[in-house]
Amino acid sequence: MILVIDALNRHRFGSVIDDMFKLRARVFHDRMGWDVTVRNGREFDLFDDLDPAYLVALDDDYNVVGCNRMLQTTGPHMLTDVFQDILCGEPPLRSATIWENTRFCIDTERLKRPGNSRSVSYTACELMAGIAEYAFESGISDVISVVDPAMDRILKRCDNAPYGYLGETVQMGKTKALAALSDITEERIARIRNFAGITGNIFADENEVADALAARAAGDAMTPELRDYCDAQVAAAATDDERQAALALQEKISQMFRSGRNCNA
C-alpha cells in the first residue's frame, strides 16, 4: 500500500517519516555510497524542508518498505540546484505541472526476510504506479526523475520507460546521473499495473494507518497481558465508535506506562 504524506498530514506520521529517513540513509549512503548527509542514522537534506510530497510504500504490518519524494519545479529542486551539470548549460524546465521525483528507494533487506508476502519487484512497481497515479490525480503532466543508469534500466524493464531525457549523463561522485522524463498518462499507469499484476486501489487510508501506528506504539509500551487485552477489545468492537473507544483506552494505558518509565529513568 502507498501512503501519501504532505504538508497537510505530516504531523500525523512522524514515525513513518523517521523510518523513511533511516531507509534513505541505509540505501543511499551505506549501500550505494552516495555523497549525502547522514545525521543520527537518517538521511535528509534542505529539500525535505520545502514541504515535498512523499509517497511511502508500507507492507501489511505498516512497516516502511519504500519511498520517494516529489517537488514542484517552480521552486528549488535537485536538478536545478544540485545536479545542474546534467543540464550542460540548458535552462531547467519550470512549470507548475512538471514535478521532480527523487530519493526513490526500496528496503530490499526487509522484503527479502522469510515470511514477507511482498516481493522487491512488486513493491517497486507499486511505488512507480503510486507516483504516476498521484501525479495524474494532481494534474501533473510530466515527472522528471534524477536517476542512475541502474534505475533507468529498472524503469524500462517495468514497462515504465521514460519518453526522453534532459541534458546528458554525467559523473556524480561514485556514480553517474541522468534526468529522465515521464509523461503522466492513463496509458503509463496501465502499463505499470499490467506488468506487475497490480489491481484495485493501492493507496492507504490515512485514518487506518494512523490508528494502526497508534495501536502499535501503545502495544510496545505495555506488558504482554495488557497488550493482548487491548487487542482483544479492538478486535471485538462492533462499531466505529467502539473501535475508537478501544483505541483511546489502549493509548491511555500506553501513556501511563510511558510516563512511569520516564519517571523511573
Side-chain angles (χ1 to χ4, degrees), residues 3-6 8-21 54 56 58 62 64 204-214:
L3 175 66
V4 178
I5 303 176
D6 56 24
L8 298 179
N9 66 356
R10 181 168 180 160
H11 64 284
R12 304 184 70 188
F13 300 107
S15 63
V16 175
I17 292 175
D18 191 51
D19 286 344
M20 177 189 70
F21 287 149
Y54 300 109
V56 184
L58 304 174
Y62 303 99
V64 174
D205 181 276
E206 286 186 25
N207 293 328
E208 288 183 7
V209 175
D211 287 348
L213 294 175

Side-chain angles (χ1 to χ4, degrees), residues 23-130:
L23 172 60
R24 281 170 38 175
R26 294 195 302 273
V27 171
F28 296 116
H29 181 269
D30 299 347
R31 191 172 78 201
M32 300 180 67
W34 286 16
D35 183 17
V36 294
T37 300
V38 174
R39 299 187 184 92
N40 299 319
R42 296 157 177 83
E43 186 276 314
F44 52 90
D45 59 24
L46 61 93
F47 301 102
D48 291 303
D49 295 326
L50 301 179
D51 291 331
Y54 300 109
L55 273 70
V56 184
L58 304 174
D59 65 13
D60 295 338
D61 295 320
Y62 303 99
N63 299 303
V64 174
V65 290
C67 64
N68 81 293
R69 177 179 68 192
M70 300 188 70
L71 271 172
Q72 295 188 40
T73 58
T74 51
H77 58 284
M78 295 198 77
L79 181 59
T80 299
D81 299 285
V82 176
F83 297 118
Q84 61 267 34
D85 287 350
I86 291 175
L87 297 173
C88 299
E90 295 180 17
L93 293 180
R94 290 192 181 274
S95 170
T97 62
I98 300 176
W99 283 41
E100 178 187 72
N101 172 50
T102 57
R103 292 302 195 262
F104 184 106
C105 62
I106 302 295
D107 191 344
T108 57
E109 294 181 3
R110 179 178 289 277
L111 288 170
K112 289 180 178 178
R113 293 175 184 173
N116 198 296
S117 61
R118 291 173 176 265
S119 68
V120 173
S121 59
Y122 183 90
T123 302
C125 288
E126 187 180 54
L127 189 51
M128 291 180 199

Side-chain angles (χ1 to χ4, degrees), residues 147-159 162 165 178:
V147 298
D148 62 8
M151 186 64 201
D152 187 49
R153 291 191 294 271
I154 291 172
L155 292 174
K156 294 174 180 176
R157 190 164 63 242
C158 296
D159 209 2
Y165 301 88
L178 61 156

